[in-house]
Every structure is written in structure tokens, then in C-alpha cells.
Amino acid sequence: MDHIYLDHAATTPMDPQVAEAMQPVMTTVFGNPSSVHRFGRKARQYLDEARRSMAKSIQADEKEIVFTSGGTEADNLALIGTSLANQAKGNHIITTAQEHHAVLDTAAYLEQLGFSVTYLSVDETGRINPDELKAALTPETILVSIMYVNNETGVIQPIEAAAEILSDHQAYFHTDAVQAFGLIDIDVNQTGIDLLSASSHKINGPKGVGFLYAADGIKLEARQHGGEQERQHRPGTENMAGVVGFQTAVELVMANKAERRGKYSQFREQFMERLTADGITYTVNGKLDDSIASIVNLSFPGTGVESLLTNFDLEGVAASSGSACTAGSIEPSHVLAAMYQDNDERIMNSIRFSFGSFNTTENVIEAADRVAKIVKRLTS
Ligand SMILES: Cc1ncc(COP(=O)(O)O)c(C=O)c1O
């Protein structure tokens, strides 16, 4: 049995062209980019070129890109770095109830440090209300962090509206764009985004590398100490092979963004149509019109997330949920819990399917048939 991967929001396979681009950086171009000699200068050229590519992908300037070890570090640096550096201006932060844990847990840490955090709610479709943001702002607010696309539901947040509200406020605007980057057109200047997190392994690049875009002039305290790298925002010798792999991944996704959007949209439609044709009852978490095409989160009434995922794996379908299994009990997804009332069964019977480079029409339809077979068995 071949295994079908429908979990591209968790991570993606590395593109062979990415692996190829990384090869020389691991062998011949091994210099330390901070060294002044020939070996170092060669590595520096690679690093500078990668930084230019990253900057271009979001219409930023190269000096505004800080390489990190991934999305989690970029989120931590954005939140902690700006909060610590701007305490004199206030101690209030605004984020949302359905952020990735890289933001939520960091916000909780900042609360421990004495910052006050407001968590905006989301409606049943998974979106924040910009009016709630407006009402939550105070003269003490120094940072607002709202994710671009939710990793569990694919729901796109009203980023332009939020940026517009913040345009005449002192608060910096950060967005975790880990799931949006590479699929949505992003122009940080036009939109008014001050800080943006991106991660390489979600776009067929290597794991363990990402970047934080921090607009010129942003006050940001480094999380590490020890060197001058990354304009002192992130000391430590850069992950050169990772950065070059990430660069190639970015160049590849930027070249065919529209084409991939169309392809994933078709996969999503074909997958859902096939489930319907197979006689399966399901509902969509979030609104498809406000969602990214590569992620769909479906609720299967009368089932449970644990038995669904175990059986999917046995049948060769890799998908996931936001629920975490801790010490034998299932912790509900905080994203779905933020969207629905406490006892709503959708919180406990929903699965995320995410499409990407591993997929074809054939394997998406085959996966739907396997999913349908399991759902029928569990509900009969
Ligand atoms: C929205 C979002 N933010 C942050 C992260 C963390 O990124 P990384 O795995 O690169 O640390 C992820 C990864 O799942 C994510 O989906």
C-alpha cells in the first residue's frame, strides 16, 4: 500500500533542486561568512544573495531580514524582542486566541514577565473582528500580533484591516505568516506590516531555518548574546546550507504561486466532492472563501479525532488535528475551541487535510476513498 501525505501544513518534502543547491555550501563553500578572508567572503556572497531573495519575496529591503532557526524562533524574537526593547512606551500586547503555540506560549511568557496581554476572540468562521482590535488598543499597547493564515483551519485573517487600524498607533504590527508565505502575495510596505515570520520547511525547503522581517528602525532586543551577526539581532554563525536551501525554495515557490494556488484549490474541491460522492457527511471548519486552498479542516459527526487519525494511518493516509494526546487523554484543539461553544462536538471530531507537492489528483481521490471507508466504519 502506498502512503498518501495530506499533511503539508505540518511540513513538506524537500524539493530536489533545494537539496542540490545546498550541496556546495556543505562542502566547497564552507567558509564562515563573518571571516574576512577569501573563504569567508565567498560564503558572505551566498548569504547576501539569499537575503536579497527573501527580501524581494515580501517587497522588503535586504537589511530588514533576520535569519532564524525557523518560525518558532522568528515569533519569539518578534514578540519578546520588541516587548523588551519598547517597555518604556507601554506594557500592553494584543494577540488572538487561535495563534500557533509559538506565539501563544510566548505571550504567556511575557505575561509572566509582567506584560499585559489581550487575546482577541474569533467567530465561528475563525476570523477576528477588526472592531474588537480597535476597542482593545490603549495608549500602552506596544505590539499587536495576528497570524496571517491559521495552521489548523487555513483561515486567512483580515490583515489589511488590522494594519489599517494600527497605521496611526504606536504599536508594532507582527504577523506570523508561516502558513501564508509562498502562497499569498505579501507586500509588507503596502500592507503596513512591521514584523513578519516565515519558515522554510513549509515551502519544500530544509527544516531548522526561517526569517523574521523587521522593518528598518524597529527596536528589537536580541534573544541571544555573543556576536555581531544579523545586525546584532540574532548572534551566531548563520546556518549557511539551510539559508541557501531556503533561498532556492523561496525562488521556486515565488515563481509559481498562482499556479499552485489553482492546483491546491482543485485538490481541495476534488477531495471534498469525492467524500460527498462516497456518501460521507461532513462540515467545513472555517469558510472556504476566506481560507487558503492548501488546507481544509473537516468535521465528521459521530466520530472522534483519535480513532480517525489512527485508522487513517493504518490505511495509509497521513493527516493531523490540532488536538494533542497528553497522558492518554485528548486535549482539544485550542483553535476550534476558540471558534465554537464549549461542548461543540466539532472540537473533538475534526481533521486537517493539507495539500502540497506530494499530491496528484489520483492520490487525493484515493485518499478521499480511504477516508470515506474509515468514516463509514466508525459511524456504522
Ligand atoms: C502558523 C505557524 N507558526 C509557527 C510555526 C513554527 O514554525 P517552525 O516549525 O519553523 O518552528 C508553525 C509550524 O507549524 C506554524 O504553522
Side-chain angles (χ1 to χ4, degrees), residues 329-351:
S329 71
I330 298 267
E331 283 289 319
S333 145
H334 71 280
V335 174
L336 298 179
M339 289 162 65
Y340 304 134
Q341 305 281 344
D342 278 357
N343 292 322
D344 196 306
E345 70 159 346
R346 288 172 289 185
I347 298 172
M348 298 307 272
N349 65 18
S350 295
I351 301 290

Side-chain angles (χ1 to χ4, degrees), residues 9-10 69-73 75 100 102 147 149-151 176 178-179 199-202 209:
S69 64
T72 302
E73 189 190 333
D75 286 342
H100 189 274
M147 74 195 317
V149 167
N150 184 270
N151 50 298
D176 173 343
V178 166
Q179 297 289 347
S199 175
S200 154
H201 72 106
K202 309 290 185 183
V209 61

Side-chain angles (χ1 to χ4, degrees), residues 300-315:
F300 298 100
T303 67
V305 77
E306 197 177 8
S307 47
L308 284 169
L309 286 180
T310 314
N311 281 286
F312 288 172
D313 188 39
L314 289 171
E315 282 290 331

Side-chain angles (χ1 to χ4, degrees), residues 179-235:
Q179 297 289 347
F181 184 63
L183 217 48
I184 288 184
D185 300 319
I186 301 176
D187 182 329
V188 286
N189 286 312
Q190 205 183 340
T191 309
I193 296 169
D194 299 310
L195 298 128
L196 176 146
S197 307
S199 175
S200 154
H201 72 106
K202 309 290 185 183
I203 58 161
N204 304 98
K207 292 170 179 55
V209 61
F211 70 74
L212 176 68
Y213 152 77
D216 195 23
I218 291 256
K219 280 171 75 183
L220 189 65
E221 192 172 306
R223 303 298 301 134
Q224 282 96 271
H225 303 275
E228 304 282 310
Q229 292 92 345
E230 302 301 297
R231 297 164 65 82
Q232 298 179 335
H233 291 319
R234 205 279 191 176

